[in-house]
Amino acid sequence: MKTARRLPKELEGRPFTVAEAGRAGVTPKRLRHRSLTALGRGIRSKGPTAELPLSVRVRPFVEVNERCAASHLTAAELSSLPRRRQKEAPQMYHVIRPEGAAHLNRPHVIVHRMKLYEDEVTVLDGIPITTPERTWLDLAEMLSVDELVVAGDSCVRVPRAELEGRDMPLCSLEDLQRMIDRHKGKRGIRKAKEAIKLIRVGCDSPQESLLRLAMKRAGLPEPELNVPIIEDDGTRHHQPDLSYRRYRIGIEYEGEHHGEEGQIVRDIARSERYEALGWTEVRISKRHMVNDAKAAVAKVRTALVRAGWRPGR
């Protein structure tokens, strides 16, 4: 077989639809060349795709399926929502198709046919995708209540503009409740109703959310989340991940980056500020979070009791 003509530059190194290739001037004969891999009807690729960003990999699968949008775990990953790792093959993509639309059976695609409203689809990087609130509700079909709370906390948290380039939450608690009210009887709705009661604005990481849930199950008082320490004269200090102002206790979750040299210096300075302010610092790491965070809960409970808290009071 003759050497294939080179593809247009905009199609190199990524999967694309046959329709897209036709608009770029690629002939049907070229599309049949063995140098291209068929990823399903109407989709071709040259070379491996597994290492490409998800948005690049999933785009043709959404484009080739009319009236579809990326959804469920795929939408969660595109939106950077915490989610359980997929158990299915990594090249499987979730798409949602409105109720009543024709059935689809394509390789690499898990199709969910269900009620879908126009305002539940947005566009991210040119790809139709379910909105964060609809994605959260769909995740209730797959995640545990705790995992759903973690995803919900991530949806409603107020981001830090200087770090993330945005200052608005992905959605509000009211948006999540609207999805529940709109889709009565949907699979997973009971978990969603249980989870929304536990979602709080202020958790900045999945670990903080899981720690908070473990503390609640253990009967500890509910902490404040990322609220700055403010002295009587109005001086504003750093904000603990979780805190009890009444008991002057701050709880800090130490992620893996806390082992970096610069971060160690900042953590020591933070501990010194705690001591100077007369606060108790409780430091939690990954090792405290195993076995339903029993070790973490024990550390927090000890600090509370020493500060005067008593269970049931």
Side-chain angles (χ1 to χ4, degrees):
M1 185 176 287
K2 293 182 179 180
T3 302
R5 180 178 296 177
R6 187 169 183 174
L7 291 172
K9 187 175 181 180
E10 63 269 26
L11 302 181
E12 287 281 356
R14 67 173 178 86
F16 54 84
T17 67
V18 168
E20 184 182 11
R23 292 192 296 270
V26 180
T27 65
K29 182 178 180 181
R30 175 67 182 90
L31 290 170
R32 292 193 296 270
H33 195 275
R34 65 184 180 185
S35 63
L36 296 181
T37 301
L39 299 179
R41 189 177 65 189
I43 303 175
R44 302 289 185 272
S45 178
K46 184 179 180 181
T49 62
E51 300 304 318
L52 295 174
L54 176 62
S55 58
V56 175
R57 289 184 279 123
V58 76
R59 182 190 300 272
F61 291 93
V62 176
E63 290 179 348
V64 82
N65 297 314
E66 295 180 359
R67 301 180 64 197
C68 284
S71 67
H72 294 72
L73 294 171
T74 302
E77 185 172 347
L78 288 168
S79 301
S80 300
L81 289 181
R83 76 272 170 212
R84 179 190 302 160
R85 290 187 180 276
Q86 297 190 49
K87 291 183 179 179
E88 62 264 8
Q91 296 289 340
M92 295 297 291
Y93 310 111
H94 292 264
V95 299
I96 193 168
R97 192 166 174 82
E99 220 172 28
H103 178 69
L104 282 178
N105 185 15
R106 289 180 176 273
H108 307 292
V109 174
I110 299 171
V111 181
H112 304 266
R113 296 173 70 206
M114 54 185 66
K115 190 175 292 183
L116 180 67
Y117 294 90
E118 287 186 7
D119 65 353
E120 294 171 4
V121 176
T122 186
V123 176
L124 180 67
D125 296 330
I127 305 171
I129 175 177
T130 48
T131 60
E133 58 267 32
R134 176 57 198 261
T135 300
W136 176 81
L137 184 64
D138 289 334
L139 289 175
E141 301 177 12
M142 303 173 166
L143 304 185
S144 67
V145 171
D146 276 13
E147 291 169 330
L148 203 54
V149 172
V150 169
D153 280 357
S154 184
C155 281
V156 304
R157 63 176 287 271
V158 179
R160 297 170 185 174
E162 67 276 11
L163 300 177
E164 301 170 61
R166 62 184 179 93
D167 57 5
M168 293 296 293
L170 294 175
C171 65
S172 66
L173 271 169
E174 290 74 21
D175 291 328
L176 299 181
Q177 185 63 54
R178 180 166 53 87
M179 290 296 102
I180 291 174
D181 296 340
R182 177 183 279 183
H183 294 279
K184 293 180 174 68
K186 187 180 185 300
R187 183 182 167 202
I189 199 74
R190 288 185 180 179
K191 276 191 285 185
K193 288 180 178 179
E194 185 177 347
I196 199 169
K197 297 175 184 177
L198 300 169
I199 293 171
R200 301 289 184 271
V201 175
C203 273
D204 274 348
S205 73
Q207 293 78 13
E208 291 175 29
S209 297
L210 292 172
L211 175 57
R212 176 175 62 82
L213 291 173
M215 289 163 58
K216 179 177 178 59
R217 278 193 291 270
L220 301 185
E222 183 151 341
E224 292 183 293
L225 308 173
N226 285 285
V227 174
I229 298 173
I230 300 177
E231 292 188 86
D232 293 339
D233 62 2
T235 303
R236 181 187 178 104
H237 296 275
H238 71 283
Q239 51 191 53
D241 295 333
L242 305 91
S243 63
Y244 297 104
R245 277 187 286 182
R246 177 180 176 183
Y247 299 104
R248 302 176 76 80
I249 294 171
I251 305 160
E252 304 283 359
Y253 183 84
E254 315 274 278
E256 292 181 3
H257 71 284
H258 284 262
E260 300 169 0
E261 184 176 352
Q263 187 62 50
I264 291 173
V265 172
R266 289 190 289 273
D267 288 345
I268 292 173
R270 185 192 65 199
S271 296
E272 291 171 346
R273 288 196 299 272
Y274 269 114
E275 186 175 355
L277 292 168
W279 277 56
T280 297
E281 180 187 33
V282 179
R283 302 176 71 174
I284 304 297
S285 67
K286 184 178 180 180
R287 69 184 179 87
H288 297 105
M289 297 297 291
V290 298
N291 195 20
D292 197 26
K294 283 184 170 59
V297 169
K299 287 191 72 173
V300 175
R301 180 185 285 111
T302 297
L304 281 167
V305 170
R306 286 175 177 171
W309 172 79
R310 296 294 180 270
R313 189 178 288 181

